[in-house]
Amino acid sequence: MADRLRNKVAIITGAARGIGARSAELFAQEGAAVAVWDINQERGTDVVDCIQSVGGKAVFCPCDVTKDQQIQQAVDQTVSKFGYPSVLFNNAGIAVVGEIEQITPEDWDHQYEVNVKSIYLVSRAVIPVMRQAGGGSIINMGSESAFVGFPMHPAYTSSKAAVVHLTRSMAVRYAPEKIRVNSLCPGTINTELLTEFLAQQDDPEAVKEEIRDMHPLGIGEPEDIAWAAVYLASDESKYMTGAPMLVEGGILTL
Ligand code: NAP
């Protein structure tokens, strides 16, 4: 077991699969006690079992990150199990697909509720206990799409741009309290979110090929992002705050 996150308690939202699940595994491997927050109890428990089976520390906390009461319960559960958290990875997110004239106002609101408002709600509940830990690192999940226009999902892309800027405001506010806040902006990553997005396209294989061609390094894997999250969670990044950390396979260099 390595120790880049030794003695840290970390909360990861949306950690039952994809990037969140891989991050939970690597955080635990690096010595953190990990609170796996997700709406999916079965898959979340599997992630915890997997971590514990190799000697890591983890707990599953059922939590819909749009529901204030569930968030507070998850904070209480995390603190009573492991103590005060010094890492919060606001990873949970969904992708509403559809152009402006196709999606409904309800879809639009739901997109912003899960991707943006949840960061406000979860941070509001966690910052008071992070203060008790003496400070820490908050990682907000952004995206390449905060910087590139994609016509197929404007609600998603604009929500991620909001995350990047929300991060800057939080970073300035909390720096004096030794709480760093950065956004992590992946390229396209091979997860079920991508599979579900492709399934909504007329020709999924052709769209996948197109996405691959847009990225000089092709499509990434969850662990490509999880290692970046380990860095942002660790003290190795102690002079970094407010930054959008791009791990995007080179799409922005084209
Ligand atoms: P994923 O495979 O869909 O995993 C996301 C997890 O979050 C799922 O377990 C999901 O549960 C959970 N979740 C959804 N809504 C939630 C809520 N309200 N409360 C708590 N948990 C919730 O997604 P991913 O690809 O790993 O993406 C993780 C993050 O990275 C997202 O913010 C995404 O926007 C961002 N990102 C992904 C990519 C990519 O290409 N994959 C690129 C850039 C950024 P259910 O499965 O039950 O819904």
Side-chain angles (χ1 to χ4, degrees):
M1 184 117 6
D3 66 354
R4 292 168 71 190
L5 301 179
R6 188 157 46 106
N7 295 332
K8 292 189 191 297
V9 175
I11 294 167
I12 306 180
T13 69
R17 73 177 193 191
I19 297 168
R22 194 66 189 117
S23 300
E25 289 163 4
L26 292 187
F27 278 33
Q29 188 184 306
E30 292 295 331
V34 184
V36 171
W37 291 20
D38 203 284
I39 38 179
N40 193 308
Q41 175 129 14
E42 200 181 326
R43 278 193 273 109
T45 306
D46 286 347
V47 171
V48 167
D49 289 347
C50 177
I51 289 171
Q52 290 175 341
S53 71
V54 290
K57 287 190 208 145
V59 64
F60 177 70
C61 304
C63 180
D64 179 334
V65 292
T66 67
K67 304 273 187 296
D68 227 3
Q69 204 187 347
Q70 292 185 30
I71 292 168
Q72 197 50 59
Q73 282 167 353
V75 170
D76 294 345
Q77 194 185 340
T78 302
V79 172
S80 76
K81 177 78 179 171
F82 291 133
Y84 297 122
S86 63
V87 177
L88 167 61
F89 185 5
N90 283 310
N91 164 74
I94 58 166
V96 169
V97 179
E99 296 176 22
I100 290 283
E101 291 162 275
Q102 295 166 337
I103 58 172
T104 63
E106 292 73 26
D107 289 339
W108 181 278
D109 286 346
H110 187 50
Q111 177 67 90
Y112 270 68
E113 204 178 10
V114 179
N115 285 15
V116 188
K117 189 178 175 192
S118 72
I119 293 183
Y120 146 68
L121 289 175
V122 174
S123 301
R124 183 173 79 140
V126 171
I127 286 170
V129 287
M130 191 175 273
R131 253 189 214 114
Q132 301 292 319
S137 170
I138 299 177
I139 305 160
N140 293 332
M141 185 53 102
S143 166
E144 62 187 354
S145 65
F147 303 93
V148 187
F150 287 106
M152 309 88 88
H153 40 24
Y156 178 78
T157 59
S158 60
S159 76
K160 291 302 187 182
V163 170
V164 167
H165 205 64
L166 169 63
T167 300
R168 294 188 180 105
S169 297
M170 290 171 68
V172 174
R173 165 61 185 85
Y174 291 106
E177 300 190 63
K178 302 275 177 261
I179 295 176
R180 302 183 294 107
V181 192
N182 294 286
S183 59
L184 178 52
C185 299
T188 300
I189 306 301
N190 193 13
T191 67
E192 284 171 70
L193 186 85
L194 175 63
T195 309
E196 287 166 7
F197 166 76
L198 290 172
Q200 293 173 64
Q201 309 302 313
D202 292 337
D203 186 346
E205 263 317 303
V207 174
K208 191 169 187 182
E209 194 64 38
E210 210 178 300
I211 292 172
R212 197 177 288 123
D213 290 348
M214 282 161 70
H215 298 79
L217 291 178
I219 292 172
E221 294 299 324
E223 86 168 21
D224 297 329
I225 307 308
W227 279 122
V230 167
Y231 172 70
L232 289 176
S234 78
D235 297 339
E236 295 162 19
S237 58
K238 67 182 168 45
Y239 193 55
M240 200 171 158
T241 199
M245 185 173 180
L246 298 166
V247 187
E248 35 62 276
I251 186 174
L252 292 170
T253 62
L254 283 177

